[in-house]
mmCIF file of all heavy atoms in Angstrom:
data_model
loop_
_atom_site.group_PDB
_atom_site.id
_atom_site.type_symbol
_atom_site.label_atom_id
_atom_site.label_comp_id
_atom_site.label_asym_id
_atom_site.label_seq_id
_atom_site.Cartn_x
_atom_site.Cartn_y
_atom_site.Cartn_z
ATOM 1 N N GLY A 933 -4.612 4.051 9.624
ATOM 2 C CA GLY A 933 -4.134 4.665 10.804
ATOM 3 C C GLY A 933 -3.490 3.630 11.785
ATOM 4 O O GLY A 933 -3.736 2.240 11.709
ATOM 5 N N VAL A 934 -2.618 3.962 12.562
ATOM 6 C CA VAL A 934 -1.907 3.149 13.649
ATOM 7 C C VAL A 934 -2.156 3.840 15.045
ATOM 8 O O VAL A 934 -2.075 4.922 15.204
ATOM 9 C CB VAL A 934 -0.452 3.184 13.263
ATOM 10 C CG1 VAL A 934 0.460 2.385 14.249
ATOM 11 C CG2 VAL A 934 0.019 2.570 11.793
ATOM 12 N N SER A 935 -2.479 2.821 15.921
ATOM 13 C CA SER A 935 -2.951 3.213 17.261
ATOM 14 C C SER A 935 -1.744 3.536 18.152
ATOM 15 O O SER A 935 -1.559 2.950 19.207
ATOM 16 C CB SER A 935 -3.884 2.171 17.875
ATOM 17 O OG SER A 935 -3.032 0.942 17.994
ATOM 18 N N ASN A 936 -0.941 4.505 17.817
ATOM 19 C CA ASN A 936 0.037 5.061 18.692
ATOM 20 C C ASN A 936 0.445 6.395 18.282
ATOM 21 O O ASN A 936 0.175 6.912 17.188
ATOM 22 C CB ASN A 936 1.241 4.118 18.723
ATOM 23 C CG ASN A 936 2.098 4.053 17.535
ATOM 24 O OD1 ASN A 936 2.394 5.130 16.891
ATOM 25 N ND2 ASN A 936 2.361 2.912 16.935
ATOM 26 N N PRO A 937 0.883 7.164 19.212
ATOM 27 C CA PRO A 937 1.028 8.666 18.975
ATOM 28 C C PRO A 937 2.026 8.891 17.735
ATOM 29 O O PRO A 937 1.734 9.898 17.046
ATOM 30 C CB PRO A 937 1.879 9.086 20.297
ATOM 31 C CG PRO A 937 1.366 8.172 21.259
ATOM 32 C CD PRO A 937 1.252 6.796 20.573
ATOM 33 N N LEU A 938 2.902 8.094 17.551
ATOM 34 C CA LEU A 938 3.760 8.332 16.319
ATOM 35 C C LEU A 938 3.261 7.850 15.003
ATOM 36 O O LEU A 938 3.742 8.271 13.949
ATOM 37 C CB LEU A 938 5.245 7.535 16.511
ATOM 38 C CG LEU A 938 6.003 8.048 17.763
ATOM 39 C CD1 LEU A 938 7.333 7.253 17.885
ATOM 40 C CD2 LEU A 938 6.421 9.591 17.600
ATOM 41 N N GLY A 939 2.277 7.033 15.078
ATOM 42 C CA GLY A 939 1.697 6.482 13.797
ATOM 43 C C GLY A 939 2.558 5.538 13.029
ATOM 44 O O GLY A 939 2.379 5.623 11.805
ATOM 45 N N ILE A 940 3.374 4.887 13.729
ATOM 46 C CA ILE A 940 4.307 3.984 13.004
ATOM 47 C C ILE A 940 4.532 2.729 13.850
ATOM 48 O O ILE A 940 4.620 2.875 15.067
ATOM 49 C CB ILE A 940 5.650 4.680 12.549
ATOM 50 C CG1 ILE A 940 6.539 3.880 11.643
ATOM 51 C CG2 ILE A 940 6.479 5.000 13.804
ATOM 52 C CD1 ILE A 940 7.567 4.708 10.949
ATOM 53 N N MET A 941 4.719 1.656 13.157
ATOM 54 C CA MET A 941 4.971 0.390 13.871
ATOM 55 C C MET A 941 6.424 0.026 13.781
ATOM 56 O O MET A 941 7.185 0.675 12.893
ATOM 57 C CB MET A 941 4.099 -0.739 13.288
ATOM 58 C CG MET A 941 2.497 -0.454 13.490
ATOM 59 S SD MET A 941 1.539 -1.852 12.984
ATOM 60 C CE MET A 941 1.722 -1.978 11.235
ATOM 61 N N SER A 942 6.836 -1.055 14.400
ATOM 62 C CA SER A 942 8.187 -1.477 14.314
ATOM 63 C C SER A 942 8.374 -1.954 12.901
ATOM 64 O O SER A 942 7.450 -2.451 12.171
ATOM 65 C CB SER A 942 8.535 -2.583 15.391
ATOM 66 O OG SER A 942 7.567 -3.634 15.297
ATOM 67 N N GLU A 943 9.685 -2.146 12.659
ATOM 68 C CA GLU A 943 9.988 -2.504 11.070
ATOM 69 C C GLU A 943 9.479 -3.797 10.715
ATOM 70 O O GLU A 943 9.151 -3.846 9.581
ATOM 71 C CB GLU A 943 11.569 -2.402 10.919
ATOM 72 C CG GLU A 943 11.934 -2.458 9.549
ATOM 73 C CD GLU A 943 13.321 -2.221 9.325
ATOM 74 O OE1 GLU A 943 14.040 -1.622 10.215
ATOM 75 O OE2 GLU A 943 13.958 -2.522 8.174
ATOM 76 N N ASP A 944 9.449 -4.945 11.574
ATOM 77 C CA ASP A 944 9.210 -6.213 11.274
ATOM 78 C C ASP A 944 7.562 -6.367 11.532
ATOM 79 O O ASP A 944 7.221 -7.582 11.432
ATOM 80 C CB ASP A 944 9.917 -7.273 11.904
ATOM 81 C CG ASP A 944 10.014 -7.045 13.449
ATOM 82 O OD1 ASP A 944 9.367 -6.058 13.945
ATOM 83 O OD2 ASP A 944 10.561 -7.978 14.178
ATOM 84 N N ALA A 945 6.876 -5.364 11.733
ATOM 85 C CA ALA A 945 5.417 -5.606 12.166
ATOM 86 C C ALA A 945 4.479 -5.711 10.925
ATOM 87 O O ALA A 945 3.275 -5.863 11.032
ATOM 88 C CB ALA A 945 4.948 -4.489 13.088
ATOM 89 N N SER A 946 4.988 -5.451 9.776
ATOM 90 C CA SER A 946 4.185 -5.657 8.575
ATOM 91 C C SER A 946 5.150 -5.855 7.369
ATOM 92 O O SER A 946 6.457 -5.777 7.445
ATOM 93 C CB SER A 946 3.323 -4.324 8.331
ATOM 94 O OG SER A 946 4.095 -3.303 7.955
ATOM 95 N N LEU A 947 4.561 -6.194 6.265
ATOM 96 C CA LEU A 947 5.390 -6.212 5.065
ATOM 97 C C LEU A 947 6.021 -4.877 4.719
ATOM 98 O O LEU A 947 5.464 -3.811 5.042
ATOM 99 C CB LEU A 947 4.524 -6.667 3.854
ATOM 100 C CG LEU A 947 3.870 -7.952 3.845
ATOM 101 C CD1 LEU A 947 3.009 -8.183 2.635
ATOM 102 C CD2 LEU A 947 4.860 -9.109 4.009
ATOM 103 N N GLN A 948 7.240 -4.937 4.126
ATOM 104 C CA GLN A 948 7.874 -3.621 3.780
ATOM 105 C C GLN A 948 7.986 -3.661 2.267
ATOM 106 O O GLN A 948 8.704 -4.531 1.650
ATOM 107 C CB GLN A 948 9.279 -3.629 4.436
ATOM 108 C CG GLN A 948 9.400 -3.719 5.945
ATOM 109 C CD GLN A 948 8.754 -2.439 6.522
ATOM 110 O OE1 GLN A 948 8.846 -1.264 5.842
ATOM 111 N NE2 GLN A 948 8.226 -2.575 7.611
ATOM 112 N N ALA A 949 7.294 -2.822 1.614
ATOM 113 C CA ALA A 949 7.273 -2.705 0.159
ATOM 114 C C ALA A 949 8.248 -1.770 -0.392
ATOM 115 O O ALA A 949 8.080 -0.573 -0.058
ATOM 116 C CB ALA A 949 5.826 -2.502 -0.351
ATOM 117 N N GLY A 950 9.209 -2.162 -1.090
ATOM 118 C CA GLY A 950 10.234 -1.145 -1.791
ATOM 119 C C GLY A 950 9.585 -0.528 -2.927
ATOM 120 O O GLY A 950 9.827 0.708 -3.151
ATOM 121 N N LYS A 951 8.694 -1.256 -3.699
ATOM 122 C CA LYS A 951 8.063 -0.737 -4.870
ATOM 123 C C LYS A 951 6.628 -1.101 -4.959
ATOM 124 O O LYS A 951 6.276 -2.216 -4.482
ATOM 125 C CB LYS A 951 8.805 -1.144 -6.250
ATOM 126 C CG LYS A 951 10.232 -0.606 -6.320
ATOM 127 C CD LYS A 951 10.942 -0.980 -7.675
ATOM 128 C CE LYS A 951 12.308 -0.524 -7.868
ATOM 129 N NZ LYS A 951 12.922 -0.861 -9.067
ATOM 130 N N VAL A 952 5.831 -0.314 -5.566
ATOM 131 C CA VAL A 952 4.442 -0.602 -5.859
ATOM 132 C C VAL A 952 4.165 -0.513 -7.329
ATOM 133 O O VAL A 952 4.649 0.332 -7.929
ATOM 134 C CB VAL A 952 3.414 0.221 -5.044
ATOM 135 C CG1 VAL A 952 3.677 -0.051 -3.538
ATOM 136 C CG2 VAL A 952 3.709 1.720 -5.344
ATOM 137 N N PHE A 953 3.432 -1.372 -7.849
ATOM 138 C CA PHE A 953 3.118 -1.381 -9.392
ATOM 139 C C PHE A 953 1.593 -1.235 -9.561
ATOM 140 O O PHE A 953 0.789 -2.042 -9.548
ATOM 141 C CB PHE A 953 3.595 -2.702 -9.867
ATOM 142 C CG PHE A 953 4.959 -3.087 -9.688
ATOM 143 C CD1 PHE A 953 5.392 -3.849 -8.489
ATOM 144 C CD2 PHE A 953 5.973 -2.571 -10.587
ATOM 145 C CE1 PHE A 953 6.688 -4.144 -8.313
ATOM 146 C CE2 PHE A 953 7.331 -2.814 -10.253
ATOM 147 C CZ PHE A 953 7.664 -3.607 -9.220
ATOM 148 N N LEU A 954 1.231 0.022 -9.719
ATOM 149 C CA LEU A 954 -0.210 0.486 -9.781
ATOM 150 C C LEU A 954 -0.800 0.129 -11.096
ATOM 151 O O LEU A 954 -0.123 0.064 -11.989
ATOM 152 C CB LEU A 954 -0.402 1.945 -9.234
ATOM 153 C CG LEU A 954 0.159 2.353 -7.848
ATOM 154 C CD1 LEU A 954 0.031 3.863 -7.643
ATOM 155 C CD2 LEU A 954 -0.630 1.548 -6.832
ATOM 156 N N PRO A 955 -2.206 0.296 -11.151
ATOM 157 C CA PRO A 955 -2.873 0.042 -12.298
ATOM 158 C C PRO A 955 -2.488 1.242 -13.253
ATOM 159 O O PRO A 955 -1.901 2.262 -12.928
ATOM 160 C CB PRO A 955 -4.318 0.029 -12.061
ATOM 161 C CG PRO A 955 -4.283 -0.436 -10.550
ATOM 162 C CD PRO A 955 -3.101 0.155 -9.938
ATOM 163 N N ALA A 956 -3.077 1.183 -14.440
ATOM 164 C CA ALA A 956 -2.980 2.314 -15.526
ATOM 165 C C ALA A 956 -3.382 3.567 -14.971
ATOM 166 O O ALA A 956 -4.284 3.718 -14.254
ATOM 167 C CB ALA A 956 -3.651 1.967 -16.742
ATOM 168 N N LYS A 957 -2.625 4.693 -15.323
ATOM 169 C CA LYS A 957 -2.808 5.968 -14.843
ATOM 170 C C LYS A 957 -4.123 6.417 -15.024
ATOM 171 O O LYS A 957 -4.889 7.115 -14.102
ATOM 172 C CB LYS A 957 -1.782 6.994 -15.504
ATOM 173 C CG LYS A 957 -0.372 7.020 -14.820
ATOM 174 C CD LYS A 957 -0.434 7.839 -13.484
ATOM 175 C CE LYS A 957 0.838 7.988 -12.881
ATOM 176 N NZ LYS A 957 0.849 8.805 -11.647
ATOM 177 N N LYS A 958 -4.808 6.238 -16.150
ATOM 178 C CA LYS A 958 -6.062 6.752 -16.474
ATOM 179 C C LYS A 958 -7.161 6.178 -15.534
ATOM 180 O O LYS A 958 -8.118 6.681 -15.304
ATOM 181 C CB LYS A 958 -6.413 6.517 -17.905
ATOM 182 C CG LYS A 958 -5.665 7.323 -18.931
ATOM 183 C CD LYS A 958 -6.110 7.047 -20.402
ATOM 184 C CE LYS A 958 -5.303 8.057 -21.285
ATOM 185 N NZ LYS A 958 -5.758 7.844 -22.704
ATOM 186 N N LEU A 959 -6.834 4.862 -15.054
ATOM 187 C CA LEU A 959 -7.850 4.240 -14.131
ATOM 188 C C LEU A 959 -7.745 4.772 -12.791
ATOM 189 O O LEU A 959 -8.723 4.483 -11.975
ATOM 190 C CB LEU A 959 -7.685 2.721 -14.127
ATOM 191 C CG LEU A 959 -7.531 2.036 -15.439
ATOM 192 C CD1 LEU A 959 -7.277 0.550 -15.321
ATOM 193 C CD2 LEU A 959 -8.740 2.214 -16.162
ATOM 194 N N LEU A 960 -6.777 5.667 -12.492
ATOM 195 C CA LEU A 960 -6.588 6.205 -11.058
ATOM 196 C C LEU A 960 -7.180 7.648 -10.954
ATOM 197 O O LEU A 960 -7.248 8.268 -9.920
ATOM 198 C CB LEU A 960 -5.289 6.113 -10.767
ATOM 199 C CG LEU A 960 -4.486 4.799 -10.818
ATOM 200 C CD1 LEU A 960 -3.030 4.889 -10.270
ATOM 201 C CD2 LEU A 960 -5.236 3.721 -9.907
ATOM 202 N N ILE A 961 -7.755 8.158 -12.123
ATOM 203 C CA ILE A 961 -8.049 9.606 -12.054
ATOM 204 C C ILE A 961 -9.153 9.808 -11.123
ATOM 205 O O ILE A 961 -9.242 10.847 -10.426
ATOM 206 C CB ILE A 961 -8.561 9.972 -13.576
ATOM 207 C CG1 ILE A 961 -7.352 10.057 -14.427
ATOM 208 C CG2 ILE A 961 -9.223 11.358 -13.492
ATOM 209 C CD1 ILE A 961 -7.762 10.295 -15.888
ATOM 210 N N HIS A 962 -10.249 8.838 -10.943
ATOM 211 C CA HIS A 962 -11.304 8.917 -10.148
ATOM 212 C C HIS A 962 -11.117 8.419 -8.783
ATOM 213 O O HIS A 962 -12.158 8.118 -8.097
ATOM 214 C CB HIS A 962 -12.562 8.446 -10.791
ATOM 215 C CG HIS A 962 -12.903 9.234 -12.075
ATOM 216 N ND1 HIS A 962 -13.368 10.505 -12.227
ATOM 217 C CD2 HIS A 962 -12.864 8.790 -13.389
ATOM 218 C CE1 HIS A 962 -13.497 10.892 -13.405
ATOM 219 N NE2 HIS A 962 -13.097 9.805 -14.115
ATOM 220 N N LYS A 963 -9.940 8.046 -8.427
ATOM 221 C CA LYS A 963 -9.446 7.697 -7.187
ATOM 222 C C LYS A 963 -10.187 6.344 -6.756
ATOM 223 O O LYS A 963 -10.982 6.340 -5.666
ATOM 224 C CB LYS A 963 -9.705 8.725 -6.048
ATOM 225 C CG LYS A 963 -8.816 9.954 -6.296
ATOM 226 C CD LYS A 963 -8.947 10.874 -5.182
ATOM 227 C CE LYS A 963 -8.108 12.112 -5.426
ATOM 228 N NZ LYS A 963 -6.738 11.894 -5.854
ATOM 229 N N PRO A 964 -10.175 5.287 -7.378
ATOM 230 C CA PRO A 964 -10.748 3.989 -7.031
ATOM 231 C C PRO A 964 -10.084 3.481 -5.777
ATOM 232 O O PRO A 964 -8.863 3.872 -5.489
ATOM 233 C CB PRO A 964 -10.642 3.030 -8.237
ATOM 234 C CG PRO A 964 -9.342 3.537 -8.934
ATOM 235 C CD PRO A 964 -9.378 5.106 -8.654
ATOM 236 N N HIS A 965 -10.690 2.527 -4.980
ATOM 237 C CA HIS A 965 -9.874 1.938 -3.873
ATOM 238 C C HIS A 965 -8.922 1.062 -4.422
ATOM 239 O O HIS A 965 -9.078 0.326 -5.359
ATOM 240 C CB HIS A 965 -11.039 1.100 -3.079
ATOM 241 C CG HIS A 965 -12.190 1.870 -2.508
ATOM 242 N ND1 HIS A 965 -12.004 2.617 -1.389
ATOM 243 C CD2 HIS A 965 -13.394 2.095 -2.958
ATOM 244 C CE1 HIS A 965 -13.121 3.253 -1.094
ATOM 245 N NE2 HIS A 965 -13.971 2.929 -2.001
ATOM 246 N N LEU A 966 -7.751 1.106 -3.822
ATOM 247 C CA LEU A 966 -6.449 0.224 -4.178
ATOM 248 C C LEU A 966 -6.226 -0.672 -3.044
ATOM 249 O O LEU A 966 -5.878 -0.179 -1.989
ATOM 250 C CB LEU A 966 -5.426 1.145 -4.727
ATOM 251 C CG LEU A 966 -5.631 2.149 -5.875
ATOM 252 C CD1 LEU A 966 -4.523 3.039 -6.049
ATOM 253 C CD2 LEU A 966 -5.889 1.204 -7.042
ATOM 254 N N GLY A 967 -6.019 -1.986 -3.334
ATOM 255 C CA GLY A 967 -5.419 -2.782 -2.283
ATOM 256 C C GLY A 967 -4.429 -3.838 -2.927
ATOM 257 O O GLY A 967 -4.517 -4.206 -4.070
ATOM 258 N N PHE A 968 -3.349 -4.043 -2.129
ATOM 259 C CA PHE A 968 -2.403 -4.777 -2.610
ATOM 260 C C PHE A 968 -2.764 -6.280 -2.539
ATOM 261 O O PHE A 968 -3.685 -6.713 -1.761
ATOM 262 C CB PHE A 968 -1.090 -4.554 -1.930
ATOM 263 C CG PHE A 968 -1.012 -5.021 -0.532
ATOM 264 C CD1 PHE A 968 -0.582 -6.408 -0.159
ATOM 265 C CD2 PHE A 968 -1.344 -4.320 0.559
ATOM 266 C CE1 PHE A 968 -0.583 -6.855 1.098
ATOM 267 C CE2 PHE A 968 -1.516 -4.770 1.922
ATOM 268 C CZ PHE A 968 -0.957 -6.113 2.208
ATOM 269 N N ALA A 969 -2.063 -7.129 -3.341
ATOM 270 C CA ALA A 969 -2.323 -8.561 -3.381
ATOM 271 C C ALA A 969 -0.924 -9.286 -3.183
ATOM 272 O O ALA A 969 -0.036 -9.030 -3.935
ATOM 273 C CB ALA A 969 -2.901 -8.914 -4.596
ATOM 274 N N TYR A 970 -0.862 -9.984 -2.062
ATOM 275 C CA TYR A 970 0.306 -10.720 -1.704
ATOM 276 C C TYR A 970 0.060 -11.965 -0.904
ATOM 277 O O TYR A 970 -0.901 -11.991 -0.199
ATOM 278 C CB TYR A 970 1.399 -9.856 -0.970
ATOM 279 C CG TYR A 970 2.771 -10.238 -1.010
ATOM 280 C CD1 TYR A 970 3.584 -10.048 -2.132
ATOM 281 C CD2 TYR A 970 3.309 -10.978 0.014
ATOM 282 C CE1 TYR A 970 4.950 -10.536 -2.114
ATOM 283 C CE2 TYR A 970 4.645 -11.377 0.032
ATOM 284 C CZ TYR A 970 5.418 -11.179 -1.094
ATOM 285 O OH TYR A 970 6.788 -11.733 -0.997
ATOM 286 N N TYR A 971 0.847 -12.992 -1.239
ATOM 287 C CA TYR A 971 0.572 -14.317 -0.517
ATOM 288 C C TYR A 971 1.788 -14.859 0.147
ATOM 289 O O TYR A 971 2.910 -14.637 -0.431
ATOM 290 C CB TYR A 971 0.138 -15.229 -1.600
ATOM 291 C CG TYR A 971 -1.123 -14.787 -2.390
ATOM 292 C CD1 TYR A 971 -0.882 -14.039 -3.485
ATOM 293 C CD2 TYR A 971 -2.445 -14.924 -1.800
ATOM 294 C CE1 TYR A 971 -2.099 -13.683 -4.163
ATOM 295 C CE2 TYR A 971 -3.469 -14.395 -2.409
ATOM 296 C CZ TYR A 971 -3.466 -13.703 -3.697
ATOM 297 O OH TYR A 971 -4.395 -13.142 -4.329
ATOM 298 N N THR A 972 1.659 -15.359 1.304
ATOM 299 C CA THR A 972 2.850 -15.920 2.120
ATOM 300 C C THR A 972 2.539 -17.249 2.650
ATOM 301 O O THR A 972 2.226 -17.512 3.863
ATOM 302 C CB THR A 972 3.004 -14.984 3.372
ATOM 303 O OG1 THR A 972 1.776 -14.810 4.093
ATOM 304 C CG2 THR A 972 3.402 -13.563 2.908
#
């Protein structure tokens, strides 16, 4: 969630991901928690 009425932040307030590369489809059937990994 974002703490403003529109629920959106300015463009440079976070990373902007054009694509995501999720785990194998079968591993997502039971909706495990998913977190991205990125280093800056």
